[in-house]
Amino acid sequence: GLIYGPSGCGKSSLVKAGLLPRLSDDIISVYVEATPEETETRLLYGLRKACPVLDDNLNLKETLAALRRGKGIPDDRKVLIVLDQFEQWLHAKKEEENTELVQALRQCDGGRVQCIVMVRDDFWMAATSFMRELEIRLLEDHNSNAVHLFPLPHARKVLTAFGRAFGDLPDASDTSKKQIEFLKQSVAGLAEDGKVICVRLALFAEMMKGKPWTPAALKEVGGTEGIGVNFLEETFSASTAPPEHRLHQKAARAVLKALLPESGSNIKGHMRSYDELLEASGYAQRPKDFDELIGILDSEIRLITPTDLGGVEPDDGSVLPTEAGKKYYQLTHDYLVPSLREWLTRKQKETRRGRVKLKLAERSALWNAQPEN
């Protein structure tokens, strides 16, 4: 099965989409977050952990073939594999054919072994090619479905679940009126046209983790709009920020600035190649440090994400200047663009050189709008 939609859908969205029933005792589930290089290893480890009687000497394809034949699991049970964030794998393997994962997933028969792949909607073309390699025809509402944006009541439930998982909210019976009001205000602030993008909930919960979930605390960090600047400061600049984040702070700012869209334009389709970001970071002679930085921005705090050329169309209908085989990235959260701009401007204002550059940019913008002698 293939599920596509906004990033950060999660298991709950599978149930909501009607593609995954609530797991029962006869289903052995193996959940894996895909990565560019370790998806196969993670999946094999997950299968061995879930089915410990399997032979440890089998590779991934042989392991799934054994499960398909009923080895390692009781007769009345099946294995369900869930591959989340599959765009990570697609982005890294788009030029390869008949990969190890493709060979392995061909063993899924839907009876003893089943697999559900979750992928961002802008990777639809890459996902379609992947399913074609598996010789599976995609049929809407049969083996593929879209996860839509969350309505407000469901968004409050998901945000509540995040709060309880982080230990910031008590059980339902102990939730205070202030905490309930916080949930209402937060979801209303994150919503657009009465709907909430699921990844916004995940990021907002991460930014509020460890803080009181009350209206007063929300106001203190600047509400759902201002909390982004607070999050960026705490992630990269504060004394409590992880040492590796502070070490790469300057390069991180340069990469994020390079990915910002033009003022007033849409983030969608605004991407930069790996090489362009490497040059912008100042790590051209230190590619290992750059890879570490990309890992922080992508895998850890998810501010940037790989993007697929097949899912990107420029607003003016022109052809994007891209090269086959190159990796491209874009900002993950378009609603964080104002916060990113404000944070980067604040950091620039801390130095004389930065203030001069800002003033020059301001003068240039004025002249470009109305050239004068």
Side-chain angles (χ1 to χ4, degrees):
L2 176 68
I3 297 179
Y4 56 96
S7 58
C9 293
K11 293 181 183 177
S12 63
S13 296
L14 297 177
V15 178
K16 186 174 182 288
L19 286 176
L20 178 62
R22 297 194 180 280
L23 298 182
S24 57
D25 293 337
D26 59 346
I27 295 178
I28 302 172
S29 63
V30 178
Y31 175 84
V32 174
E33 286 190 3
T35 67
E37 304 296 340
E38 299 178 357
T39 302
E40 295 83 356
T41 303
R42 290 185 176 194
L43 177 55
L44 182 57
Y45 174 79
L47 291 169
R48 288 174 177 173
K49 185 177 180 181
C51 308
V53 297
L54 285 171
D55 189 347
D56 286 346
N57 294 323
L58 301 178
N59 60 29
L60 182 58
K61 178 182 176 181
E62 294 167 343
T63 297
L64 288 174
L67 291 171
R68 178 176 56 81
R69 293 192 292 267
K71 295 182 179 180
I73 55 175
D75 293 338
D76 58 344
R77 304 191 75 182
K78 68 181 292 184
V79 174
L80 173 65
I81 299 168
V82 179
L83 294 178
D84 196 3
Q85 299 176 33
F86 196 61
E87 62 272 5
Q88 297 280 347
W89 186 92
L90 289 173
H91 183 252
K93 307 292 184 180
K94 57 188 174 185
E95 300 298 322
E96 300 181 23
E97 296 182 358
N98 199 28
T99 60
E100 178 188 1
L101 186 62
V102 167
Q103 295 180 39
L105 294 185
R106 283 178 181 155
Q107 301 299 319
C108 296
D109 60 353
R112 303 306 297 271
V113 185
Q114 184 177 358
C115 181
I116 291 179
V117 175
M118 299 198 295
V119 63
R120 286 210 324 262
D121 54 359
D122 50 337
F123 275 76
W124 176 247
M125 293 302 296
T128 302
S129 299
F130 171 75
M131 299 300 284
R132 189 179 294 119
E133 266 205 277
L134 292 173
E135 300 179 3
I136 297 175
R137 181 184 176 188
L138 288 175
L139 299 174
E140 188 75 15
D141 294 327
H142 176 67
N143 63 355
S144 68
N145 210 333
V147 176
H148 299 287
L149 304 183
F150 289 171
L152 298 186
H154 183 70
R156 282 196 294 270
K157 290 181 180 179
V158 174
L159 185 57
T160 300
F162 271 117
R164 288 174 182 158
F166 291 154
D168 296 317
L169 286 180
D171 294 334
S173 58
D174 298 325
T175 306
S176 67
K177 291 183 179 180
K178 288 184 178 181
Q179 291 169 331
I180 294 174
E181 183 61 27
F182 166 86
L183 294 170
K184 290 181 179 179
Q185 290 182 15
S186 300
V187 169
L190 294 170
E192 289 183 4
D193 299 324
K195 301 286 186 179
V196 179
I197 299 175
C198 45
V199 71
R200 293 189 179 184
L201 290 172
L203 184 65
F204 177 77
E206 182 69 28
M207 292 189 291
M208 285 299 300
K209 186 166 61 176
K211 297 180 175 65
W213 284 36
T214 62
L218 182 62
K219 183 179 180 180
E220 185 178 341
V221 298
T224 53
E225 295 179 357
I227 190 176
V229 176
N230 195 324
F231 170 73
L232 291 165
E233 188 69 21
E234 291 182 354
T235 300
F236 290 105
S237 304
S239 59
T240 55
E244 60 272 18
H245 291 191
R246 282 181 285 159
L247 176 66
H248 294 298
Q249 179 187 170
K250 183 178 179 181
R253 294 205 306 267
V255 168
L256 293 171
K257 184 177 181 179
L259 289 170
L260 277 176
E262 296 293 333
S263 180
S265 67
N266 196 323
I267 183 179
K268 189 69 170 180
H270 190 88
M271 57 187 179
R272 291 285 182 263
S273 70
Y274 177 97
D275 293 338
E276 287 176 315
L277 295 179
L278 175 62
E279 186 67 28
S281 69
Y283 286 169
Q285 307 301 321
R286 299 155 57 188
K288 289 186 177 180
D289 287 342
F290 179 70
D291 288 338
E292 184 177 326
L293 170 63
I294 290 294
I296 292 172
L297 294 175
D298 179 11
S299 303
E300 289 188 31
I301 55 179
R302 305 192 188 284
L303 286 179
I304 69 172
T305 184
T307 187
D308 178 43
L309 305 187
V312 175
E313 295 180 4
D315 295 334
D316 58 4
S318 61
V319 178
L320 288 169
T322 59
E323 296 181 28
K326 277 194 173 184
K327 295 181 180 180
Y328 290 84
Y329 293 88
Q330 68 181 27
L331 294 173
T332 306
H333 314 291
D334 54 348
Y335 84 106
L336 266 188
V337 167
S339 297
L340 271 171
R341 281 204 177 103
E342 183 177 345
W343 180 66
L344 291 172
T345 300
R346 282 188 188 180
K347 304 312 290 185
Q348 256 190 299
K349 286 181 177 179
E350 292 177 358
T351 65
R352 179 179 297 177
R353 178 183 293 271
R355 291 191 294 272
V356 169
K357 285 185 176 181
L358 287 172
K359 181 59 68 175
L360 179 59
E362 179 185 336
R363 299 293 188 191
S364 299
L366 288 172
W367 191 90
N368 288 328
Q370 187 175 358
E372 295 178 342
N373 188 325

